[in-house]
Amino acid sequence: MEQYAIKGGNPLVGEVEIGGAKNAALPILAASVMTDETVYIENMPDVRDTNVLLSAMENIGVIVKRTDRHKVTLNASNISELVVEDENIKKIRASYYLIGALLGKYKHAEVALPGGCDIGCRAIDQHIKGFRALGADVKIEHGLIKTQAEHLRGSHIYMDVVSVGATINIMMAAVMAEGTTIIENSAKEPHVVDLANFLNSMGANIKGAGTDVIRIKGVSHLHGTEYAVIPDQIEAGTFMFAAAVTKGDVTVKNVIPKHLESITAKLLEIGCEVEEADDCVRVVASKPLQHTQVKTLPYPGFPTDMQPQITVALGLSKGTSIVTESIFENRFKYVDELTRMGASIKVEGNTAIIDGVSRYTGANISAPDLRAGAALVLAAMSAEGFSTVDDIRYIERGYEDFHLKLQGLGAQIELVETERDLQKFKLKIG
Ligand code: UD1
């Protein structure tokens, strides 16, 4: 079984290149089925979630060609199936983007209900509400969401909660609907804007993405395009916090600093130095970390996908910190693992009260989900001694070459598959 073996204690120093955003790439791939012409996408992250989606798309007849590791061309002119039941597709959250995309183009889609990280109940009522408002019938049967419409007609939709997934799905379903759709209280995340830009580059007419009101004028067809996915805000943020917890000095390259503002603000508050340039940020952690308070919020607030990483840092910060998780109700499961490394954290409902300790100690731990898994790797890199992190398949869902990028910054981390590999690593690090 694959796991990471880690010897902690090395400050991370150097430069790391950030890849394309997983959460932008997934809807962009799905939206590629909305044209019969060829779509060419660059800066595609080579991670498990995008690969699962690509193979599900191949299974319904999309011709997918990887021209190199980060470039892919897609042609959906010969789609043979509007039912997506692929065994793996259930495991990823973004499977539901095929509903909005296929419904928008073909007025019919049946897709296995989404999985994804187990971080809370993850309702889809807002997606369903949006599809119905556009005139589609929606039912859930035999583990599939089934949607069908004679015609899709533009509508005025008010979202009861700010949802990235529902905003994206409704946007795709509305792009080729008759008339105008207005989505109010929409999500403003960079990946929502990236999808809108992608669709507009295919001939869609979407305005207001990045604000809380999106206006979509339906068009009759979409054409092929060439498009580069934005850099991954969360991968970048994870490396920024890796610098903080290891007392390092890391330049995170190929980023959009504006997307990192809430992360940068918290790093400054806890005593790190952050320098921004056009497309990179440098984080230097030369002073002891200080306590703070943080509440996760929709963009431009502090991202829930960075909550475990900041908690790991606050666990090593002087004084008492408070982290409030306001997006998902079950996102502190990793705290038990962190406690085994010496953290002093009490979770009450959606709040973690953290008494900073001077160090963590290495332990054998398991990744409970994608972002918490990455955060536990950060904890292990900052810890005294040796750790193993199991269940790294979660981490591989969203981080490309995570251990290689960390090695490039001087971390002592190895991906091991057997007991023998593990012993070899232990001998090497002494
Ligand atoms: C996306 C991201 C995920 C990130 C999250 C919040 C992808 C593939 N995943 O997930 O990494 O953590 O945004 O930034 O992009 N909700 C409802 N009804 C709905 C939809 C959502 O009540 O129909 C609730 C959810 O339970 C949650 C909140 O709204 O409490 C936000 O969820 P949402 O923004 O939809 O998250 P995802 O799109 O699933």
Side-chain angles (χ1 to χ4, degrees):
M1 197 181 75
E2 284 189 339
Q3 55 179 200
Y4 290 141
I6 299 164
K7 164 88 185 308
N10 276 21
L12 297 194
V13 177
E15 295 182 346
V16 61
E17 193 84 30
I18 297 306
K22 168 183 87 81
N23 287 349
L26 291 165
I28 285 173
L29 287 176
S32 303
V33 304
M34 300 189 75
T35 175
D36 291 338
E37 296 175 21
T38 298
V39 169
Y40 177 79
I41 303 170
E42 289 183 16
N43 208 28
M44 176 63 50
D46 182 15
V47 293
R48 189 161 291 169
D49 277 14
T50 51
N51 291 330
V52 166
L53 183 61
L54 279 170
S55 84
M57 289 171 68
E58 276 185 306
N59 288 345
I60 59 167
V62 180
I63 296 168
V64 176
K65 283 192 197 134
R66 266 195 195 270
T67 44
D68 79 21
R69 192 173 179 197
H70 300 123
K71 291 182 185 152
V72 63
T73 61
L74 299 114
N75 187 293
S77 54
N78 284 317
I79 279 196
S80 49
E81 277 276 359
L82 297 174
V83 182
V84 190
E85 262 191 300
D86 190 285
E87 202 29 56
N88 288 318
I89 198 78
K90 295 178 209 155
K91 295 185 189 149
I92 68 165
R93 188 78 193 148
S95 54
Y96 59 34
Y97 290 147
L98 286 172
I99 311 172
L102 292 171
L103 177 68
K105 167 97 197 285
Y106 296 99
K107 317 289 176 256
H108 179 193
E110 300 189 15
V111 179
L113 269 169
C117 283
D118 179 16
I119 52 180
C121 97
R122 311 196 79 169
I124 54 164
D125 56 304
Q126 298 304 302
H127 303 240
I128 294 174
K129 171 177 159 173
F131 297 148
R132 287 193 174 135
L134 295 170
D137 283 332
V138 185
K139 52 188 175 185
I140 298 178
E141 274 178 0
H142 310 298
L144 296 173
I145 309 181
K146 301 182 176 180
T147 57
Q148 189 134 21
E150 288 266 313
H151 299 287
L152 292 171
R153 286 201 186 81
S155 180
H156 195 130
I157 301 161
Y158 183 87
M159 313 282 288
D160 301 318
V161 294
V162 178
S163 161
V164 172
T167 303
I168 285 177
N169 237 339
I170 296 167
M171 211 155 70
M172 290 193 289
V175 149
M176 293 165 86
E178 256 173 61
T180 299
T181 298
I182 297 172
I183 310 174
E184 291 213 51
N185 199 24
S186 52
K188 298 182 276 215
E189 267 66 3
H191 31 295
V192 173
V193 179
D194 208 34
L195 174 70
N197 289 340
F198 173 71
L199 287 166
N200 283 341
S201 79
M202 295 167 85
N205 185 342
I206 303 173
K207 297 209 168 89
T211 75
D212 43 25
V213 184
I214 298 179
R215 286 188 166 74
I216 304 156
K217 272 195 190 153
V219 295
S220 58
H221 88 288
L222 297 176
H223 54 72
T225 186
E226 290 183 12
Y227 196 80
V229 177
I230 52 165
D232 198 305
Q233 172 205 25
I234 306 300
E235 186 193 15
T238 302
F239 281 99
M240 290 165 80
F241 271 93
V245 299
T246 62
K247 303 188 171 63
D249 177 350
V250 175
T251 300
V252 182
K253 295 173 74 179
N254 182 34
V255 297
I256 298 174
K258 170 103 189 120
H259 294 167
L260 302 170
E261 275 174 353
S262 63
I263 297 164
T264 298
K266 286 295 159 192
L267 284 165
L268 291 170
E269 264 175 52
I270 65 174
C272 296
E273 291 160 53
V274 184
E275 284 169 27
E276 283 180 11
D278 280 354
D279 65 350
C280 64
V281 288
R282 177 178 174 202
V283 179
V284 184
S286 51
K287 294 184 232 138
L289 301 180
Q290 301 299 321
H291 63 100
T292 192
Q293 304 204 354
V294 60
K295 182 176 186 182
T296 62
L297 287 168
Y299 189 83
F302 191 85
T304 173
D305 284 357
M306 286 299 302
Q307 183 261 98
Q309 298 88 318
I310 194 170
T311 301
V312 165
L314 296 177
L316 293 169
S317 301
K318 269 190 169 166
T320 303
S321 299
I322 295 179
V323 174
T324 307
E325 171 56 59
S326 79
I327 311 287
F328 293 111
E329 69 273 18
N330 193 15
R331 211 165 189 177
F332 284 119
K333 281 192 302 182
Y334 63 92
V335 165
D336 287 345
E337 297 295 80
L338 209 49
T339 304
R340 297 176 57 235
M341 300 178 79
S344 173
I345 303 177
K346 199 166 136 204
V347 176
E348 282 177 6
N350 67 344
T351 302
I353 301 144
I354 306 161
D355 282 323
V357 295
S358 58
R359 65 185 168 96
Y360 296 138
T361 50
N364 298 328
I365 48 180
S366 295
D369 62 63
L370 165 59
R371 303 303 173 185
L376 290 171
V377 171
L378 303 196
M381 286 187 313
S382 73
E384 191 181 288
F386 176 78
S387 298
T388 57
V389 181
D390 284 338
D391 291 337
I392 60 168
R393 64 182 186 284
Y394 289 118
I395 300 171
E396 290 168 344
R397 287 188 40 201
Y399 291 88
E400 181 181 309
D401 293 343
F402 195 41
H403 67 291
L404 298 179
K405 290 187 182 184
L406 291 167
Q407 278 174 7
L409 296 169
Q412 299 198 73
I413 177 169
E414 201 82 61
L415 191 155
V416 296
E417 289 182 31
T418 61
E419 186 55 35
R420 200 153 158 254
D421 290 348
L422 188 61
Q423 293 313 328
K424 250 170 63 186
F425 176 74
K426 283 185 171 169
L427 272 175
K428 192 172 102 186
I429 59 172

